[in-house]
Amino acid sequence: MYKIINTIQAPLPIGPYSQGIVSNNMIITAGQIPINPQTGMISNDIKEQTIQVLNNIKAIITAAKFTIKDIVKTNLFLKNLDNLKIVNVVYANFFLQYVTTYPARTCLEISNLPNNVEIEIEAIAIKQ
C-alpha cells in the first residue's frame, strides 16, 4: 500500500505523475524543476534554480512528514555540467543546514529538461 503526496507548497505536476509516493518508511519524489509554486515563475539563474528545486523537494517530503535528514539519495540532472560548481555550493549549503553528511548522489548532464530549465532533482528519503 502506498500514499500519494500532493502539496500546494511545491509546483503542481506538469504531466501525469505524482509529486511523491510514500511506501512504508520511504518517500520517492518526482523530479522537481525550479518552478516557484506561489508565482509559477522560473528564474534564469542556476543558483536560484537550484535553491528553488531543493525547496520544492523539502516541501514535498515535509508534506509526507519526512525531513531533510531522511534523504538518502538524490539524482541531479543538469543541462550543462559546467554549472556543477555553482550547484555544488548551493546543494552543500542547503544540506549542511540539516545534516553533517550528504546523501548519496548521481549527477548527469541531460540535453533538455521540461520548460527549458537548467536543473531537475529527485530524492529518496527513508525514515529510520
Side-chain angles (χ1 to χ4, degrees):
M1 188 75 175
Y2 59 88
K3 179 180 177 185
I4 305 295
I5 301 300
N6 285 304
T7 176
I8 61 170
Q9 300 304 313
L12 297 175
I14 60 173
Y17 60 88
S18 300
Q19 290 174 327
I21 302 284
V22 174
S23 179
N24 296 318
N25 63 335
M26 178 172 63
I27 181 170
I28 301 170
T29 72
Q32 293 300 299
I33 61 174
I35 298 172
N36 180 311
Q38 282 73 44
T39 66
M41 302 300 293
I42 298 172
S43 170
N44 291 323
D45 179 72
I46 186 62
K47 180 179 177 181
E48 291 176 15
Q49 284 194 19
T50 305
I51 291 167
Q52 186 64 61
V53 168
L54 292 167
N55 285 332
N56 292 345
I57 288 171
K58 181 182 177 189
I60 294 166
I61 67 168
T62 299
K65 301 191 180 1
F66 286 72
T67 70
I68 298 299
K69 291 179 182 180
D70 298 320
I71 296 176
V72 296
K73 174 74 163 84
T74 60
N75 293 316
L76 282 69
F77 307 98
L78 299 174
K79 275 181 51 179
N80 185 345
L81 278 179
D82 290 342
N83 287 326
L84 187 57
K85 286 182 181 182
I86 296 168
V87 170
N88 277 340
V89 169
V90 174
Y91 185 94
N93 289 337
F94 177 83
F95 277 99
L96 287 177
Q97 295 175 73
Y98 307 98
V99 297
T100 56
T101 58
Y102 303 109
R105 183 177 96 174
T106 301
C107 183
L108 301 170
E109 184 175 78
I110 303 295
S111 66
N112 203 1
L113 289 167
N115 292 9
N116 203 33
V117 299
E118 296 295 322
I119 187 168
E120 181 172 348
I121 302 176
E122 58 189 25
I124 299 171
I126 299 174
K127 285 186 187 179
Q128 298 298 321

